Amino acid sequence: MTGVIARRLLVNYRVAPEVLARLLPAPFRPQVIGEWGVAGICLIGLRAVRPRGLPTAFGLASENAAHRIAVEWKERGATLRGVYIPRRDTSSRVSAFLGGRLFPGVHHRARFSVRDTADHVAVSLVSQDGCTRVGVEGCVGDSLQSGSVFGSLAAASAFFERGALGYSAGRTPSIHDGLELRTAAWRVVPLTVERVSSSFFEDRRAFPSGSITFDSALLMREIAHEWHARGSLSADNVERAGQ
């Protein structure tokens, strides 16, 4: 599938690795930067998404959200890195119906609200099943927010560019569907966040007080891209990372 990323927000949290480890299925374990694991929300507005070769006029537009955890695992003796996605939400009926069937990952229907100008972005969503609520608002900035685990914009950009391969829950328990994002160019700018909320990351049963802190946010715009299915992954066909 090919199309255009009209807008992509990467909203990032630093999290105690042992907390993330409890949320991850085999074969994944948290990537660690210093003493922290990294998790977050990818909020992505797409347009002209279609099978490669079809004219743009046949493409679809949608708003989408993925709650993500930066992970690593071992496969055929090599340590690989990417993201595990416990939850996907979408405005698209097509994606919700076909996700986990024709293309990777189960998608849940959600209602999105977006305000997007040259220097200001606000995105919120509420899922139809009531399980997910997200709100993010901010302005284009000059640098990462103080205290970020990444240290610099260049380090953050490189980290997320390397994390283009994601695995998410499929329709069969313990089988994780793979999807890789390939971009024609990679350009991010810092977003200075004015407000951020996530029912997922604010759940104190999963993330006890003191175990998670908002870290930073990045913004991408107007990027040609392709999605490539990468097959499935399970604990039965790979070795748990680090063992």
Side-chain angles (χ1 to χ4, degrees):
M1 302 291 285
T2 187
V4 175
I5 297 172
R7 166 197 7 88
R8 187 187 191 203
L9 296 179
L10 295 170
V11 181
N12 312 310
Y13 294 80
R14 51 187 183 270
V15 189
E18 63 272 17
V19 170
L20 291 178
R22 293 197 293 265
L23 302 176
L24 291 171
F28 304 110
R29 73 175 185 184
Q31 285 192 59
V32 176
I33 301 178
E35 299 179 352
W36 294 101
V38 177
I41 316 161
C42 173
L43 295 160
I44 187 167
L46 303 174
R47 70 168 188 270
V49 176
R50 63 206 187 276
R52 187 167 52 183
L54 284 184
T56 302
F58 289 91
L60 301 176
S62 64
E63 295 290 336
N64 307 272
H67 284 76
R68 316 181 329 152
I69 300 170
V71 295
E72 61 185 25
W73 67 98
K74 278 194 173 179
E75 194 170 347
R76 293 186 290 274
T79 298
L80 304 181
R81 294 178 175 86
V83 294
Y84 175 71
I85 302 165
R87 173 85 182 194
R88 291 185 183 272
D89 292 277
T90 182
S91 66
S92 168
R93 289 184 176 88
V94 174
S95 296
F97 179 74
L98 296 179
R101 295 184 174 97
L102 186 61
F103 60 82
V106 174
H107 292 60
H108 304 268
R109 283 292 309 284
R111 183 176 69 254
F112 286 74
S113 175
V114 178
R115 300 194 310 275
D116 188 358
T117 64
D119 59 0
H120 184 270
V121 182
V123 180
S124 61
L125 74 91
V126 179
S127 65
Q128 286 189 352
D129 62 10
C131 291
T132 304
R133 291 177 176 268
V134 172
V136 181
E137 184 171 5
C139 295
V140 174
D142 297 320
S143 60
L144 291 183
Q145 293 184 213
S146 177
S148 172
V149 71
F150 297 108
S152 70
L153 176 60
S157 177
F159 181 86
F160 289 106
E161 186 174 12
R162 291 192 299 266
L165 175 58
Y167 283 94
S168 56
R171 295 188 179 273
T172 301
S174 77
I175 302 297
H176 317 300
D177 296 340
L179 190 65
E180 182 182 7
L181 172 64
R182 299 180 187 175
T183 57
W186 183 267
R187 299 185 299 273
V188 300
V189 296
L191 190 76
T192 300
V193 170
E194 300 164 356
R195 65 175 180 90
V196 58
S197 62
S198 162
S199 57
F200 182 81
F201 290 119
E202 292 165 9
D203 182 352
R204 290 297 167 252
R205 295 167 298 179
F207 300 94
S209 180
S211 69
I212 182 169
T213 304
F214 171 74
D215 183 272
S216 58
L218 303 172
L219 173 64
M220 303 174 70
R221 281 193 171 123
E222 298 300 321
I223 305 290
H225 76 287
E226 293 183 348
W227 299 104
H228 291 261
R230 288 288 299 268
S232 61
L233 196 65
S234 73
D236 295 332
N237 58 19
V238 297
E239 177 185 1
R240 180 183 290 274
Q243 294 184 351

